[in-house]
Amino acid sequence: RAHAWLRDPAAGEGFADAAAAQAAVDALREFHLGKRRFKAMLLAVMVGYADAGLRRDRGAGTAQLGSRRAAMDVFDADGDGKVTAADVIRVGRHLNEPLDQKAAKEMLRAVARPGDDPDHVPKERLRHMLPPLYPAHALRRNDLVFGAGETDPVFYILLEGDVLISHQFLLRPRSGFAGAGSGRELSLGLHRLRPGESFGETEILEGAGDKTLPRASTATCASTACALLAVPGHLFQLLGEVFSGVREPIRDQAEERCGGLVLSWVSALAARDSADRRTLDANTVAWSNGRYKQGVAAPADVAAAAAPAKVVRATSRHDQFVVVEDGVVEVDILDVRTGETHTRTLWPKDYVYCNERPGAHPLDALGEFASTVVVQLRPVTPSQLTFVHGDVFAQAMNQPSMQLVNTYLVERLRAPDADATGASPSIVGNIPTHDLVKRKTKN
């Protein structure tokens, strides 16, 4: 007989009632979810996202990375050629994803073939759930993995050799342009990656939907020879969407590298006298707002701050993007509409955009924090700070090669909103910016 979904309801065939139809839909959804979760788990083992226990089971070094057969050997710990729910639970624990017996059995039922015992699935059949990641890409010294500006939706794992990640940006003068091509192009060597490390995740993560941002940096083979595993973008998305224990380390790595790019860029500016690096004593004033003090702004300024910002305004000549290189610094932020001032602490590698006037600025084009200004920046301990003029910062953020940096900085600016109790927003990574001002919660 034909399946119930293939019969004609008008002829009295098919499902007995709506409840039976819903149960079938739920079973189908459960089937696809279980299959998707097992594929993601297998891929996570193949590419090495797991704890020390799983690396020990799979073997040391990079020889087993990308191998479906080696990954299935990790599942089949007792070597009997079968994968059980207990095996799935154990591997899930290594991936920091606790699974119960019911969830593990659902995953195995979804991937078992007709005639298989769903409680003991042959591992040789399961390894065909994913396409092979071999053969590895072989490169020689100075060969490009990818270049800045390319659209390359691939996540890479370095098996052999070294890869250098570098970034190019245009250093322009603070005032005036001789022409569209004026300025000097500078190159930063950001990371030298070793075997076992991965890269290429950031542009895929920051893309919208299935779109990938153009590469912000260039990756080059920096040794006599390199071997790389390439994970296609759609498989990488699967890797990050299913298990939070896998997703969080990938996102943390992307954020760390974007932050490293910001710090390298600021250091390059300071080395070329395009930024001001200062060593300051404790309890001195590093930056002070010439228009606002600890108090309520004038009515005209309050009205201007309340108006929605359509475009990014010109920066004030006193605006500064400030990075804390060393020491501890406090920053006072004033909401000109309420007169409230909030003080937060900056730690090494934190940053703040010091704006003299309310309104949108290079990191707040939508004007979400248009009513806030920084009042004062002062070291609590002896500190080293690097100051990038607002014009230089705005020009850099408008360059295509700095699009990814801009996205990263803007995301860090938008910390979680205050909760329903009206408490101050929590700060991710101890990076205080204009999100420190309490925002009204929506009903």
Side-chain angles (χ1 to χ4, degrees), residues 106-381:
E106 287 174 352
M107 290 170 66
L108 285 179
R109 278 198 295 269
V111 297
R113 295 184 183 181
D116 287 341
D117 177 357
D119 293 328
H120 298 82
V121 182
K123 70 176 184 181
E124 283 302 308
R125 294 185 182 176
L126 296 180
R127 72 184 180 92
H128 295 291
M129 294 288 298
L130 290 173
L133 298 181
Y134 276 107
H137 291 261
L139 301 175
R140 296 191 177 278
R141 187 183 298 274
N142 297 327
D143 284 351
L144 284 180
V145 182
F146 53 75
E150 294 180 4
T151 301
D152 175 48
V154 178
F155 175 63
Y156 294 96
I157 302 166
L158 182 57
L159 300 182
E160 298 176 12
D162 295 353
V163 166
L164 179 66
I165 307 295
S166 59
H167 184 84
Q168 290 76 37
F169 71 96
L170 191 64
L171 179 61
R172 289 175 170 170
R174 263 186 52 179
S175 60
F177 293 91
S182 64
R184 291 179 295 157
E185 186 171 80
L186 303 179
S187 179
L188 304 177
L190 300 177
H191 313 286
R192 193 179 184 93
L193 305 178
R194 307 294 183 182
E197 294 190 81
S198 58
F199 61 100
E201 72 287 334
T202 310
E203 289 84 356
I204 304 177
L205 287 173
E206 295 297 345
D210 59 352
K211 294 183 179 179
T212 301
L213 291 179
R215 292 294 186 188
S217 303
T218 297
T220 309
C221 177
S223 55
T224 304
C226 297
L228 302 164
L229 281 185
V231 180
H234 69 281
L235 288 182
F236 175 79
Q237 295 288 4
L238 172 67
L239 186 66
E241 290 173 359
V242 176
F243 295 121
S244 61
V246 176
R247 178 173 62 250
E248 295 309 318
I250 294 175
R251 186 161 290 279
D252 289 346
Q253 175 174 285
E255 290 190 0
E256 180 181 351
R257 288 177 175 171
C258 281
L261 176 53
V262 174
L263 297 176
S264 296
W265 170 70
V266 169
S267 294
L269 292 179
R272 292 163 176 82
D273 297 325
S274 295
D276 185 13
R277 180 169 285 161
R278 308 176 200 165
T279 300
L280 301 170
D281 294 330
N283 302 317
T284 57
V285 176
W287 186 89
S288 181
N289 195 313
R291 294 169 59 90
Y292 295 94
K293 304 299 180 184
Q294 306 282 1
V296 181
D301 289 326
V302 174
K310 300 297 183 182
V311 295
V312 178
R313 63 163 170 77
T315 57
S316 163
R317 63 190 180 91
H318 295 297
D319 284 7
Q320 298 281 344
F321 177 72
V322 183
V323 175
V324 179
E325 305 280 357
D326 192 21
V328 181
V329 178
E330 286 186 342
V331 55
D332 295 332
I333 301 171
L334 169 69
D335 187 332
V336 301
R337 288 182 297 191
T338 65
E340 293 184 46
T341 301
H342 299 262
T343 301
R344 289 296 184 271
T345 303
L346 295 169
W347 304 92
K349 299 184 180 181
D350 288 349
Y351 61 84
V352 64
Y353 187 87
C354 296
N355 59 328
E356 187 184 38
R357 300 174 297 190
H361 57 73
L363 291 183
D364 184 29
L366 298 179
E368 294 180 66
F369 312 106
S371 68
T372 64
V373 294
V374 171
V375 176
Q376 192 176 87
L377 200 65
R378 57 186 180 279
V380 177
T381 66

